[in-house]
């Protein structure tokens, strides 16, 4: 919570100003004096000094943005091992990210989907412009609704269209620059508030449990040009075979 963090920071700075030197910050092999703002090699501290250690945000305790969105543990110059602990903050809805990123360990498919639920899985072309990516997504969503199916969200949207691609160094952490899900471009709280009853997370649909239970999920490529103009024709031809 940002408010808790601000209160804690204010407390540390206030306390450090009146009891120097009674608080020392530590990060890896460095110490930090919150009063002076100086960083130096780790040195011995008195027994009564309060030591506040900052844990490695990638390899030890990762926040939600670092792990689920940036995937910082996959950075090329790192070991690419997952952190010891992940705090699912800064991303949401949390259930969506946990399910899509293969970190939802509750087998609740039977509770989420009835045996009669049908799904639409389609081929989403790679390397599109942002508008084209969403034209295909909207067309697929409309088609799924018309066929009374749940849409499996795509995982091949163009990551380079994300405004944070360069500032956040996503080229160094994402395994595939053309392998992004809609959450890199859309506010998922609002998206799922409207469409949660019509979609399935891409990560869930790739799981063995989903495939074993819902093997009839159908693959259907949508037109690569003006998809919305072709939806009506796709629906007409698909109803006879699906």
């Amino acid at each position: 919570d940002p408010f808790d963090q601000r209160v804690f920071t204010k407390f540390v700075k206030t306390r450090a100003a009146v009891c120097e030197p009674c608080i020392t910050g530590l990060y890896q092999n460095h110490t930090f004096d919150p009063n002076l703002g100086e960083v130096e090699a780790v040195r011995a501290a008195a027994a009564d000094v309060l030591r506040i250690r900052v844990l490695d945000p990638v390899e030890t305790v990762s926040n939600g943005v670092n792990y689920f969105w940036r995937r910082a543990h996959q950075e090329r110059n790192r070991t690419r091992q997952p952190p010891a602990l992940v705090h699912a903050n800064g991303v949401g809805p949390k259930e969506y990210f946990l399910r899509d990123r293969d970190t939802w360990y509750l087998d609740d498919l039977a509770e989420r989907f009835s045996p009669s639920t049908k799904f639409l899985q389609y081929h989403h072309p790679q390397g599109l412009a942002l508008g084209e990516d969403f034209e295909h997504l909207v067309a697929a969503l409309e088609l799924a609704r018309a066929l009374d199916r749940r849409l499996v969200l795509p995982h091949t949207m163009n990551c380079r269209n994300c405004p944070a691609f360069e500032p956040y160094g996503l080229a160094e952490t994402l395994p595939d620059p053309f392998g992004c899900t809609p959450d890199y471009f859309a506010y998922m709280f609002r998206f799922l508030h409207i469409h949660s009853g019509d979609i399935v997370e891409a990560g869930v649909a790739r799981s063995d449990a989903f495939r074993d239970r819902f093997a009839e999920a159908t693959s259907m490529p949508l037109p690569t040009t003006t998809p919305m103009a072709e939806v009506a024709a796709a629906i007409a031809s698909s109803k006879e075979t699906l």
Side-chain angles (χ1 to χ4, degrees), residues 15-63:
R15 182 63 179 165
V18 298
C19 66
E20 173 69 21
C22 65
I23 297 178
T24 297
L26 299 97
Y27 177 69
Q28 295 181 344
N29 62 340
H30 297 284
T31 60
F32 177 78
D33 187 326
N35 227 13
L36 303 176
E38 296 179 351
V39 178
E40 58 186 39
V42 171
R43 54 183 169 78
D48 59 346
V49 170
L50 174 63
R51 284 168 284 193
I52 303 175
R53 178 171 291 279
V54 179
L55 300 175
D56 189 294
V58 176
E59 297 180 358
T60 307
V61 178
S62 184
N63 61 41

Side-chain angles (χ1 to χ4, degrees), residues 198-217:
D198 301 308
I199 60 93
V200 181
E201 302 87 354
V204 170
R206 294 196 302 270
S207 68
D208 292 336
F210 182 90
R211 290 173 178 174
D212 291 343
R213 189 182 293 269
F214 302 106
E216 80 282 359

Side-chain angles (χ1 to χ4, degrees), residues 62-179:
S62 184
N63 61 41
V65 173
N66 252 359
Y67 183 81
F68 294 104
W69 204 72
R70 286 194 64 233
R71 307 188 191 191
H73 59 289
Q74 297 179 344
E75 194 170 356
R76 291 187 175 90
N77 62 351
R78 291 185 176 268
T79 61
R80 302 201 178 200
Q81 294 296 319
L85 182 68
V86 176
H87 181 200
N89 63 337
V91 293
K94 298 184 191 300
E95 292 87 348
Y96 164 83
F97 279 92
L98 290 169
R99 286 174 171 143
D100 185 73
R101 304 305 201 261
D102 302 321
T103 50
W104 183 265
Y105 302 112
L106 178 64
D107 183 6
D108 60 350
L109 291 176
E111 288 76 22
R112 291 187 70 192
F113 312 118
S114 70
S116 61
T117 305
K118 294 184 178 181
F119 304 89
L120 175 66
Q121 190 167 17
Y122 75 105
H123 170 69
H124 189 100
Q126 293 184 324
L128 300 177
L130 182 61
E132 295 172 324
D133 260 336
F134 275 92
E135 282 181 355
H136 278 77
L137 176 58
V138 170
L141 186 57
E142 291 299 321
L143 180 57
R145 283 175 172 155
L147 297 173
D148 195 24
R149 291 172 175 253
R150 278 179 173 258
L151 177 68
V152 176
L153 291 177
H155 58 91
T156 54
M157 298 179 78
N158 189 352
C159 305
R160 296 183 183 278
N161 293 325
C162 175
F165 187 81
E166 294 294 339
Y168 275 49
L170 299 184
E172 296 297 319
T173 58
L174 296 182
D176 181 0
F178 302 114

